[in-house]
Amino acid sequence: MSSAEPVIRSRQTEKEVNGISTQVVCTEFSNYIFIVLTQYGKMGTLISITPDSRSNDISTPAFSTKVLLGKDEPLTHVCAKNLATFVSQEAGNRPVLMGLALKDSTVDAIKQMKEIIKSCQVW
Amino acid sequence: MNDARNGEVFEPITVHNFSERILEQVIHFHVMKLSGGFFLWVGSSPVLSNLAVSMSSRYDSMPSSTLVMGDPSNTAPNSLAQRLAKKTKKQVYVSYSLPMTNSNISLLVESRIKKEVELHPEHF
């Protein structure tokens, strides 16, 4: 055993969103922010959210989402983009890898979940 | 640690870090325990280079495995995920973020992980 200090930083929390227990774990890598957001305790659908690199103008960059594992449905892309865009922007345009397993994906729930992600800031 | 909510068993996610000097190199390990599986990252610097997912299948004695991120010519993440899925009988996510140069190191890394699984099964 050596070096007690881990090279990977992570923060986690557990909160209720509309009565449903919701866990968030944010982990920082130099090339990715990894977020697990789950109401099942499982990884769920894996999505990558990447800022498009083509434009370097002042306007906010566009983001592309890709389902890496799991059901590829439109709502998943919408939720992932909504939840992770601000993280990527705050983290110097780093891509975000997200594990998403939601029972409730209403606008109101997503809004609360964004706040929970903010409370686990590692970037 | 479990309590029932919404009629389900609620298991908190836990995170476990350890590191080991292997062949003159400090290798870091990061484990996230989830319900029914775990995520394991292995690396010497904090880079996420690839991700493989593996789980047992009733149709095959060897767990099925797939690479969802990274260079497909690097077989290390898949084979490590597959062997850990077989050993633990869980769904396993592996990011093997070490340079491809030394193949001896992967065997030593794997035995170090297996040792940790045996010493601290509660983290996996």
Side-chain angles (χ1 to χ4, degrees), chain A residues 34-58:
Chain A
F34 177 38
I35 302 173
V36 176
L37 171 56
T38 180
Q39 296 182 319
Y40 289 92
K42 295 171 187 290
M43 188 80 85
T45 307
L46 270 177
I47 311 123
S48 74
I49 302 97
T50 318
D52 294 333
S53 51
R54 52 181 171 77
S55 65
N56 53 355
D57 56 42
I58 320 111

Side-chain angles (χ1 to χ4, degrees), chain A residues 31 40 45-46 53 55 64 75 77 82 98 102 105 114:
Chain A
N31 59 337
Y40 289 92
T45 307
L46 270 177
S53 51
S55 65
S64 44
L75 186 62
H77 291 263
N82 198 310
M98 185 170 240
L102 301 182
S105 39
K114 258 166 120 165

